[in-house]
Amino acid sequence: MNNKLLAIAVQDYINANLNADVNQIALAKTPFEGITSAELATQITAKKKSERKLPTWFHTENIYYPPVLSIEQTSSEITAKYKSKLAKGDTLIDITGGFGIDTYYFAKKVKEVIHCEINPELSAIAQYNARALNAKNIEFKAEDGITYIQNTATTFNTIYVDPARRAEKGKVFMLKDCTPDIVGNLDALLKKSSRIIVKTAPLLDISAGLAELKQVSEIHIVSVKNECKELLWVIDKGFDKDTKVIAVTLNNEVEKDFSFYRSVANGTVQFAESLSINNYLYEPDAALLKSGAFNLIGSTYGISKLHPQTQLFTANITKTDFPGRIFKIEAILSTAELKKETNLKGNVIVRNYPAKPEDLVKKYKIKSDQEQFLIFTKIANGENVILKASIIQYY
């Protein structure tokens, strides 16, 4: 850490240049002794990236920011706050602490928290910021979390880990290819805690993750504004029952969830025999789609599916507890009828339809519109249709 960056004049400069061209700042002569232009550019860029993702940090004075990559890789506040509810007991250790966002929110729920971070610079930054945020119940260890767990005689109620995918690996994402290796160290971790929470990117296949891990009691699929952000694997020592899947959507202070046990994921579903104008179209949130329980979505909310391979549903009433978008159908067109239309407007959505959105926009000269939608899809009889619709619920 370069403590000179915390001087009042420097902080004023950073705040005054949040919308400036950081490339010019990085190339220009530094206005402060003992501080490089690159350091100033890093602080400005990282703080700007925190404005929406980490508003508490952004609005707190004298926060010290790490390299931009750490901001990009860290949890958002909204997801960190959610996962803090999964902690059990009075003691928790975060063995991959990083910038400390998750640790900070765990500390709001747990009496004693330890933050382990192998990078000493990042550990020092997280420790300094914790003081700035008045988080007094966090102990910081600038060392490898797995090594600390192995060498300490202390046990913890909860262990949290966010393993990083090793860059040299290809597209196949497996936990054993991450650092630290949770699969290889799982038995050792279970000797020190009765609950382990593992965060992974949503890219990880759920069945593949369950094949690598054991004693998984719950899998939380977390999305924000219809974008799947992370998977949380809750491992409870001795658990040998059916794993529960919770698909949760976090949007504008509103939380909705769709949960089920893995053994009943492949239920039956009713298909819509026809579509009607003024009925409603339901598009499940990304978290629900990641769960893979496509038929169960229909039976849970009492809505009919359009086609076996079309993850869209319909009903003649609105169900505002549904986690996803809801549209009101205003017209149902065939491809031939669409060709006769002029002055088409709407956001284009393609679901199980033999064309790409950008090609359809170009072909039919469709102008963008914020509230109107053109949904290209397939219905139960195999017919391709286009639905003109207006949106009545975003999340």
Side-chain angles (χ1 to χ4, degrees):
M1 283 183 63
N2 183 353
N3 289 324
K4 292 183 178 181
L5 285 164
L6 299 170
I8 294 175
V10 180
Q11 288 294 305
D12 287 345
Y13 177 88
I14 290 169
N15 291 328
N17 285 278
L18 288 175
N19 295 313
D21 186 339
V22 291
N23 292 318
Q24 288 188 2
I25 290 173
L27 294 172
K29 183 180 178 181
T30 177
F32 303 103
E33 185 178 352
I35 299 172
T36 67
S37 298
E39 287 177 312
L40 290 171
T42 294
Q43 291 296 303
I44 292 168
T45 304
K47 181 166 185 174
K48 184 64 177 177
K49 283 185 173 291
S50 300
E51 185 171 5
R52 293 185 179 182
K53 188 175 185 179
L54 308 171
T56 299
W57 277 252
F58 181 83
H59 292 292
T60 299
E61 292 185 359
N62 295 327
I63 289 293
Y64 194 106
Y65 291 91
V68 176
L69 182 61
S70 293
I71 300 295
E72 293 173 345
Q73 292 179 338
T74 192
S75 298
S76 64
E77 281 195 59
I78 190 171
T79 59
K81 185 177 181 180
Y82 175 80
K83 69 170 68 75
S84 70
K85 298 186 294 184
L86 306 181
K88 184 173 69 173
D90 293 333
T91 59
L92 178 144
I93 182 169
D94 182 345
I95 63 174
T96 50
F99 189 43
I101 310 303
D102 289 324
T103 308
Y104 173 79
Y105 275 94
F106 281 128
K108 287 180 169 291
K109 297 288 185 179
V110 179
K111 290 183 179 179
E112 299 176 15
V113 176
I114 293 178
H115 171 285
C116 286
E117 171 52 49
I118 195 169
N119 182 327
E121 175 83 1
L122 192 53
S123 178
I125 291 171
Q127 183 171 6
Y128 164 79
N129 287 336
R131 291 197 301 268
L133 293 162
N134 201 32
K136 299 178 180 179
N137 58 330
I138 306 173
E139 183 179 356
F140 290 84
K141 304 287 185 182
E143 58 183 289
D144 179 83
I146 292 289
T147 302
Y148 180 84
I149 286 281
Q150 291 172 338
N151 293 335
T152 184
T154 306
T155 58
F156 304 90
N157 297 127
T158 303
I159 295 174
Y160 173 71
V161 56
D162 178 4
R165 185 180 172 201
R166 290 197 284 273
E168 66 269 17
K169 295 296 177 180
K171 291 184 178 181
V172 177
F173 181 15
M174 299 185 71
L175 278 167
K176 67 180 182 180
D177 296 328
C178 294
T179 303
D181 178 4
I182 296 304
V183 177
N185 288 285
L186 187 56
D187 288 335
L189 295 177
L190 285 169
K191 290 179 181 178
K192 296 296 176 73
S193 179
S194 58
R195 168 161 288 193
I196 301 168
I197 302 171
V198 181
K199 171 191 167 183
T200 69
L203 179 64
L204 180 61
D205 179 76
I206 289 177
S207 296
L210 286 171
E212 289 190 275
L213 297 172
K214 59 184 178 181
Q215 302 176 53
V216 178
S217 61
E218 296 177 349
I219 303 169
H220 295 251
I221 308 168
V222 184
S223 82
V224 178
K225 295 185 177 179
N226 202 25
E227 182 181 352
C228 204
K229 294 293 187 180
E230 56 194 45
L231 304 182
L232 302 171
W233 307 74
V234 180
I235 299 168
D236 286 320
K237 184 185 292 185
F239 184 83
D240 61 357
K241 298 180 178 63
D242 199 0
T243 300
K244 187 177 184 179
V245 178
I246 302 98
V248 61
T249 66
L250 308 173
N251 304 297
N252 303 326
E253 303 300 323
V254 176
E255 179 179 318
K256 298 179 181 180
D257 67 75
F258 166 68
S259 60
F260 59 93
Y261 289 95
R262 290 268 294 169
S263 61
V264 298
N266 298 317
T268 58
V269 67
Q270 179 179 343
F271 290 96
E273 295 182 0
S274 62
L275 283 176
S276 300
I277 296 174
N278 293 326
N279 275 9
Y280 299 93
L281 189 75
Y282 290 75
E283 180 191 40
D285 182 270
L288 275 67
L289 296 178
K290 176 66 179 180
S291 76
F294 304 126
N295 290 349
L296 195 60
I297 294 170
S299 58
T300 298
Y301 294 99
I303 51 183
S304 301
K305 199 173 186 183
L306 265 62
H307 183 275
Q309 278 73 53
T310 301
Q311 310 311 331
L312 295 173
F313 300 81
T314 188
N316 60 4
I317 59 173
T318 57
K319 298 172 182 286
T320 56
D321 61 332
F322 177 78
R325 294 197 288 189
I326 304 176
F327 305 87
K328 186 174 183 179
I329 301 172
E330 297 175 343
I332 305 168
L333 305 173
S334 65
T335 303
E337 290 170 328
L338 186 69
K339 290 178 180 178
K340 299 176 184 178
E341 293 281 322
T342 59
N343 196 28
L344 282 170
K345 295 181 180 180
N347 289 310
V348 173
I349 297 175
V350 172
R351 296 289 183 270
N352 192 23
Y353 189 94
K356 296 179 180 179
E358 57 270 25
D359 294 336
L360 293 168
V361 168
K362 184 177 180 180
K363 180 178 180 179
Y364 295 107
K365 299 180 174 60
I366 301 170
K367 298 177 181 178
S368 63
D369 188 281
Q370 293 298 317
E371 302 299 325
Q372 296 298 311
F373 288 76
L374 290 169
I375 302 164
F376 293 74
T377 189
K378 190 187 297 289
I379 56 177
N381 64 6
E383 181 184 356
N384 291 326
V385 298
I386 300 92
L387 308 177
K388 283 187 177 180
S390 57
I391 191 162
I392 62 172
Q393 175 176 295
Y394 278 95
Y395 308 114

